[in-house]
Amino acid sequence: MPDNITRYELPPAGITLLGYVVRRMHKTQWLMSVPALLAENKSDQALAQIAKYAVTSSTSFGPAYYQPQFNSQGAEITEADPMTGAVVTAKLVSTSPHYFITYTAAMPNGDIFSGSEEITGTTVGLRGLGMPAPSKF
C-alpha cells in the first residue's frame, strides 16, 4: 500500500486514538459493491467484500510514525470517508480494564457496518510504547 495511505491514517501533525481508528476505517470503497452483489444473489462475493473491509479497516499498513494521543472515555469522533462519503464514527466506551471502542460506517445508501475493538494491551520496544497493540475485534 502506498505511503500516502499510512500518512493519511497517521498525519504528521498528530492524531488521537479515535481519529486514527476513524481514518483507518476510511477504506469503505470495499463495501460499495455489496448491495449490487446481494441484488444479484452473489452473497459469497458480497461476504468476501465485507471480509476485505473488516481486515483492511482493522489494520494499518506501513510504519507507525508515532503513538496517537489518548481520548477520554465517552469521546466520539465522526468523519466522512473522502473517497466514498461514508460517515465513520468511533466511540471510546471504556478505558478500564481495556480500551473498548465501538464504531460504525454509515454508507451513502443507508447501509451500516458496525463493530467493536478491545485493545487488550500494548507493545513495548526500545523507543517506548509501540503499535500495533494486541486487540480483539
Side-chain angles (χ1 to χ4, degrees), residues 1-10 20 24 27 30 52-53 55-65:
M1 191 164 275
D3 186 54
N4 65 338
I5 299 291
T6 53
R7 271 303 197 196
Y8 174 77
E9 293 172 3
L10 290 165
Y20 162 72
R24 192 186 68 197
K27 298 170 184 145
W30 287 110
K52 289 175 187 175
Y53 176 70
V55 169
T56 60
S57 70
S58 66
T59 308
S60 280
F61 300 92
Y65 299 103

Side-chain angles (χ1 to χ4, degrees), residues 65-81:
Y65 299 103
Y66 55 86
Q67 180 156 346
Q69 300 165 345
F70 290 101
N71 297 90
S72 300
Q73 183 173 327
E76 184 174 290
I77 292 183
T78 299
E79 188 178 316
D81 183 334

Side-chain angles (χ1 to χ4, degrees), residues 19 27 49 55-57 82 88 98 107-108 123 125 127 134-135:
K27 298 170 184 145
Q49 291 301 106
V55 169
T56 60
S57 70
V88 179
H98 302 122
M107 302 302 290
T123 56
R127 296 184 182 146
S135 299

